[in-house]
Amino acid sequence: MIPRRARLLESVSDKDDGRRRRDESSGTCIFLPIPVVTESGGTMSRQQSGGLTRRAFCTTLAAGSLAGVSARASAQAETFRLGGEVAAWHGRAPQSIAGQDNPTLQVEAGRRYRVVWENMDGQPHNFQILDSDGNALLTSETIQQRGATQTVTFTASPAMAQYRCQIHPTTMLGEMQISGGGGGGGGGEEGGEGGGMRIPTAGYFLAVAVLLAFVSPLLFALLLLVVGTHDGVRPRR
């Protein structure tokens, strides 16, 4: 009877992370995973522990990506849509101003907004924001082509009081209602006078959320790298 001889073969890849024994007489390959000692005293194979850490890393990475997407979504500007003609500004969207002439724009101090308006009559118009004293805080370029649109972006401040067309200031004039502000004074984001620039509290939270979204996966990957190099492996006798 031919004696059975076996020799130890090295793992052919890092994914195996174990040892193989080959029976030369039958050609059978036996995989023997290396046990890893856990803190609770139990054991698991290196392959199992690697799978767990990979799943944990992917979960953390996905959570960080979602946080980044949420942060970016919260930073998007809310949009008002208007139609402009000599007679008045006509509200189109959101639903709260649809169908109204010279509608009141309700905004929250510190948040970004967009006004997208269309020239309805081919007359020269622009978009201007004023404070309570009639000083211009923001003035857009004038457009005259019928059907042309213009987008004006701004950050709401307590100083804002009205919006209008500078060329037709008596008929194309609407109010702005500001919430969340600490009172008047100071200028607006562009072209205002007095008052320093203030960063809203929401801005700090947004900055922290974006920072965590990008940093947390890197920190977790570094932790896995450090822990992985110090994994305790019970020596095989």
Side-chain angles (χ1 to χ4, degrees):
M1 189 171 183
I2 300 175
R4 299 175 57 138
R5 293 177 301 168
R7 59 190 181 88
L8 182 65
L9 298 178
E10 293 181 352
S11 174
V12 295
S13 70
D14 292 336
K15 292 182 180 180
D16 290 340
D17 199 13
R19 296 180 178 177
R20 297 177 182 268
R21 290 185 178 274
R22 180 176 298 276
D23 190 322
E24 293 184 348
S25 61
S26 61
T28 303
C29 183
I30 305 173
F31 177 69
L32 298 177
I34 298 176
V36 177
V37 181
T38 63
E39 294 182 358
S40 62
T43 62
M44 64 171 65
S45 69
R46 174 77 73 168
Q47 186 178 15
Q48 290 173 327
S49 62
L52 289 175
T53 53
R54 282 193 294 273
R55 284 195 296 273
F57 173 75
C58 292
T59 301
T60 302
L61 182 60
S65 300
L66 290 175
V69 171
S70 299
R72 287 191 294 272
S74 64
Q76 292 179 351
E78 183 178 343
T79 301
F80 295 101
R81 298 188 180 276
L82 304 170
E85 60 178 353
V86 173
W89 292 104
H90 303 294
R92 292 179 174 177
Q95 187 61 36
S96 57
I97 66 170
Q100 300 181 26
D101 292 341
N102 295 325
T104 298
L105 304 184
Q106 298 182 350
V107 297
E108 180 180 347
R111 290 192 59 184
R112 290 188 65 79
Y113 294 88
R114 293 191 311 165
V115 173
V116 181
W117 65 275
E118 178 187 359
N119 187 315
M120 298 175 61
D121 57 7
Q123 297 298 311
H125 302 298
N126 70 346
F127 188 86
Q128 190 174 60
I129 296 179
L130 309 175
D131 65 14
S132 57
D133 296 324
N135 299 315
L137 303 179
L138 181 152
T139 303
S140 74
E141 296 181 356
T142 299
I143 60 174
Q144 187 169 351
Q145 181 180 357
R146 183 173 185 174
T149 61
Q150 184 180 73
T151 299
V152 180
T153 304
F154 64 93
T155 299
S157 73
M160 296 177 175
Q162 294 179 315
Y163 68 96
R164 71 178 184 181
C165 169
Q166 189 178 13
I167 297 93
H168 308 97
T170 57
T171 57
M172 301 178 70
L173 177 67
E175 300 294 321
M176 296 186 69
Q177 183 177 338
I178 315 295
S179 63
E189 178 185 17
E190 302 178 24
E193 295 181 1
M197 180 179 177
R198 297 184 302 171
I199 301 177
T201 303
Y204 290 109
F205 286 109
L206 177 60
V208 172
V210 172
L211 182 62
L212 289 176
F214 287 99
V215 173
S216 57
L218 298 178
L219 292 178
F220 189 77
L222 180 61
L223 178 62
L224 290 181
L225 180 62
V226 173
V227 173
T229 57
H230 294 84
D231 269 347
V233 177
R234 181 178 296 170
R236 189 171 182 275
R237 299 171 184 253

